[in-house]
């Protein structure tokens, strides 16, 4: 059954500028060019990106062309959207390494035959200084300082570096170069995408529609899922890592994760733990396979729900001695989870951390781990101690 175009295009969207423009474009009778840009500032795409990739797939299902821009040039600056401080700059070599796997990750969601992959260094890297000045003349400093992130820094007398102001201009020029009909982004991308409309209008092109998806909170339940914050679930995570991270999200986030990632409501009356298992299984199935998802869920049930840690396959953690909080922080690193000492201390005090079934009670107590022991960190993470 062919979906109704406008409803399918808007499914799950947080904001569109504007619905009337989108309806008109959908009625043009030609494949639209739907733009999504991703900066390779780390090797991994994550579930936050997947909201945009799946929206891109929605348009592909309507017969439109996905234009995936790998921002290998814009990554040299780093998107300042939502940032209270300047992003640290990364090297061109690191960007190239990160970008190498982005195509493969994106095609876990996108239909390859309807996807055009381009690198924005192919046009931004060729701009002369006179071209940069011409583009800058089309945007005012007042516009830039109207942004919440820049305005906040200005009011707090925190630095706003000149190169950061170039980012929305470069992203906007991307839209001109690929003749975008629609650009996708998170709700924090509104300003950048509107700049793209301005530049398209100045170049005599029809203005792109802005279609924004909600922000997905990360594992901490508070901040945007982000590579730089370390609170993300990568599309390349192993099935065990992916399922375990899903199981660690708060019950309060479950309804939003169901709505945004599965496009349906959480089953009413279902115990949160079972609903979380179903969510984890479906996410693993999407990015790995149905068979691996079933196996991962079953293994997790053995490991945690039935408390049979002695029979379960657990990640290895080398024997060490140290205060309990430091040991817990280090053990969470096995799962690529960044926990603060205060978070580890809270888990210890509430009785979540157990060594061979015995609860640790004080964050400052000395703990000596021996090979063969099991260290349970919380309801969803445990490690097996091996020789150092």
């Amino acid at each position: 059954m062919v979906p109704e175009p406008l409803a399918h295009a808007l499914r799950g969207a947080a904001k569109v500028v504007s619905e009337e423009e989108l309806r008109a474009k959908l009625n043009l009778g030609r494949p639209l060019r739907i733009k999504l840009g991703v900066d390779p500032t780390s090797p991994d795409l994550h579930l936050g990106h997947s909201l945009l990739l799946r929206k891109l797939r929605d348009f592909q299902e309507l017969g439109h062309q996905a234009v995936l821009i790998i921002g290998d040039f814009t990554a040299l600056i780093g998107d300042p959207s939502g940032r209270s401080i300047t992003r640290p700059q990364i090297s061109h070599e690191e960007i190239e390494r990160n970008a190498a796997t982005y195509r493969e990750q994106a095609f876990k969601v996108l239909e390859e035959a309807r996807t055009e992959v381009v690198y924005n260094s192919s046009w931004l890297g060729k701009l002369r200084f006179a071209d940069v000045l011409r583009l800058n003349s089309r945007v005012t400093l007042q516009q830039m300082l109207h942004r919440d992130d820049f305005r906040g820094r200005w009011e707090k007398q925190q630095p706003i570096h000149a190169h950061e102001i170039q980012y929305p201009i470069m992203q906007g020029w991307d839209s001109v170069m690929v003749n975008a009909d629609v650009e996708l982004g998170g709700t924090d991308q509104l300003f950048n995408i509107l700049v793209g409309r301005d530049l398209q209008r100045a170049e005599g092109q029809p203005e792109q529609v802005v279609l924004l998806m909600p922000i997905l909170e990360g594992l901490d339940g508070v901040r945007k899922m982000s590579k730089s914050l370390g609170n993300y679930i990568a599309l390349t995570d192993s099935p065990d890592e992916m399922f375990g991270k899903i199981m660690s999200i708060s019950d309060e986030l479950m309804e939003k994760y169901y709505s945004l990632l599965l496009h349906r409501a959480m089953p009413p009356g279902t115990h949160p733990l079972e609903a979380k298992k179903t969510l984890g299984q479906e996410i693993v199935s999407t990015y790995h396979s149905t068979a691996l998802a079933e196996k991962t869920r079953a293994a997790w049930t053995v490991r945690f729900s039935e408390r049979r840690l002695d029979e379960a396959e657990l990640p290895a953690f080398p024997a060490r001695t140290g205060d309990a909080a430091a040991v817990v922080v280090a053990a969470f690193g096995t799962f690529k989870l960044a926990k603060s000492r205060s978070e580890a201390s809270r888990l210890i005090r509430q009785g979540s951390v157990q060594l061979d079934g015995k609860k640790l009670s004080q964050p400052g107590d000395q703990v000596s781990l021996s090979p063969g022991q099991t260290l349970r960190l919380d309801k969803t993470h445990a490690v097996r101690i091996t020789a150092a």
Side-chain angles (χ1 to χ4, degrees):
M1 182 177 178
V2 178
E4 196 283 316
L6 185 63
H8 198 60
L10 291 176
R11 180 178 65 162
K15 184 179 182 66
V16 60
V17 181
S18 67
E19 185 172 325
E20 293 75 17
E21 291 178 58
L22 179 57
R23 181 183 291 108
K25 285 183 181 288
L26 290 170
N27 290 330
L28 288 175
R30 64 167 175 84
L32 300 179
R33 294 177 61 76
I34 316 300
K35 171 197 171 190
L36 172 64
V38 289
D39 286 350
T41 51
S42 96
D44 303 318
L45 294 175
H46 54 65
L47 287 184
H49 294 120
S50 79
L51 300 185
L52 298 166
L53 291 170
R54 298 194 74 81
K55 177 51 60 183
L56 205 49
R57 179 62 184 259
D58 283 346
F59 276 97
Q60 288 183 319
E61 291 169 357
L62 295 172
H64 301 296
Q65 177 74 31
V67 182
L68 181 65
I69 298 179
I70 308 293
D72 57 333
F73 196 93
T74 39
L76 291 169
I77 293 178
D79 187 1
S81 299
R83 304 283 296 193
S84 59
I85 58 173
T86 302
R87 283 181 179 271
Q89 290 184 272
I90 60 178
S91 70
H92 185 70
E93 291 73 24
E94 187 176 355
I95 290 169
E96 286 185 336
R97 287 195 301 272
N98 294 342
T101 64
Y102 271 33
R103 289 175 62 106
E104 179 184 351
Q105 293 178 64
F107 290 143
K108 288 176 179 284
V109 177
L110 300 178
E111 182 183 341
E112 190 168 357
R114 291 184 183 272
T115 305
E116 176 184 330
V117 180
V118 292
Y119 294 77
N120 63 13
S121 62
S122 63
W123 53 80
L124 293 175
K126 296 175 182 177
L127 291 177
R128 300 169 301 170
F129 193 64
D131 299 322
V132 175
L133 291 176
R134 179 173 63 87
L135 291 178
N136 273 262
S137 70
R138 294 176 176 173
V139 180
T140 68
L141 189 57
Q142 286 88 342
Q143 277 179 279
M144 294 295 174
L145 292 179
H146 188 66
R147 291 175 56 128
D148 290 340
D149 37 34
F150 285 161
R151 186 172 65 249
R153 281 199 245 170
W154 178 269
E155 291 172 352
K156 294 176 183 177
Q157 297 185 337
Q158 295 174 330
I160 305 171
H161 292 91
H163 73 284
E164 295 180 273
I165 295 174
Q166 302 303 309
Y167 190 94
I169 299 172
M170 292 195 298
Q171 181 174 330
W173 192 243
D174 288 350
S175 296
V176 173
M177 295 305 296
V178 301
N179 275 295
D181 291 300
V182 178
E183 180 169 0
L184 309 180
T187 51
D188 58 349
Q189 290 291 307
L190 178 60
F191 182 89
N192 292 354
I193 303 178
L194 289 175
V195 170
R197 283 170 61 94
D198 292 342
L199 294 180
Q200 285 179 311
R201 183 173 61 252
E203 293 294 320
Q205 291 183 6
E207 297 174 30
Q208 64 188 9
V209 168
V210 181
L211 199 154
L212 305 179
M213 297 298 290
I215 297 297
L216 185 70
E217 287 85 357
L219 299 176
D220 56 9
V222 178
R223 298 174 295 179
K224 171 184 175 180
M225 186 174 285
S226 166
K227 296 170 285 189
S228 59
L229 294 174
N231 64 348
Y232 67 102
I233 302 171
L235 304 190
T236 55
D237 277 344
S238 70
D240 283 342
E241 287 177 313
M242 192 172 279
F243 192 91
K245 287 179 181 180
I246 288 288
M247 294 303 296
S248 73
I249 65 173
S250 67
D251 292 348
E252 291 73 22
L253 271 183
M254 285 290 290
E255 287 192 16
K256 188 168 187 179
Y257 269 53
Y258 260 81
S259 174
L260 295 181
L261 297 173
L262 303 183
H263 293 302
R264 68 174 188 266
M266 190 172 75
T270 305
H271 190 283
L273 183 61
E274 289 304 308
K276 207 173 291 187
K277 288 181 186 179
T278 298
L279 173 64
Q281 182 175 343
E282 293 199 32
I283 295 299
V284 172
S285 179
T286 297
Y287 298 104
H288 292 281
S289 71
T290 300
L292 279 173
E294 291 173 353
K295 180 181 177 182
T296 302
R297 179 171 181 166
W300 192 95
T301 299
V302 168
R303 190 183 307 167
F304 294 103
S305 298
E306 299 176 10
R307 301 179 183 273
R308 289 157 52 189
L309 291 180
D310 56 326
E311 302 175 22
E313 292 184 15
L314 300 175
F317 183 67
R320 61 184 293 172
T321 299
D323 69 79
V327 169
V328 169
V329 169
F332 268 113
T334 304
F335 299 92
K336 299 180 182 177
L337 292 174
K339 293 286 185 180
S340 67
R341 185 179 176 87
S342 61
E343 289 175 303
S345 297
R346 177 180 55 79
L347 288 170
I348 293 168
R349 290 194 182 98
Q350 69 186 24
S352 298
V353 181
Q354 301 175 20
L355 183 60
D356 282 346
K358 183 178 180 181
K359 294 180 181 180
L360 304 185
S361 58
Q362 295 299 323
D365 286 350
Q366 286 291 297
V367 175
S368 293
L369 304 181
S370 302
Q373 289 185 305
T374 298
L375 179 64
R376 181 170 180 155
L377 304 171
D378 60 14
K379 292 187 296 183
T380 60
H381 298 91
V383 294
R384 182 94 60 214
I385 311 307
T386 61

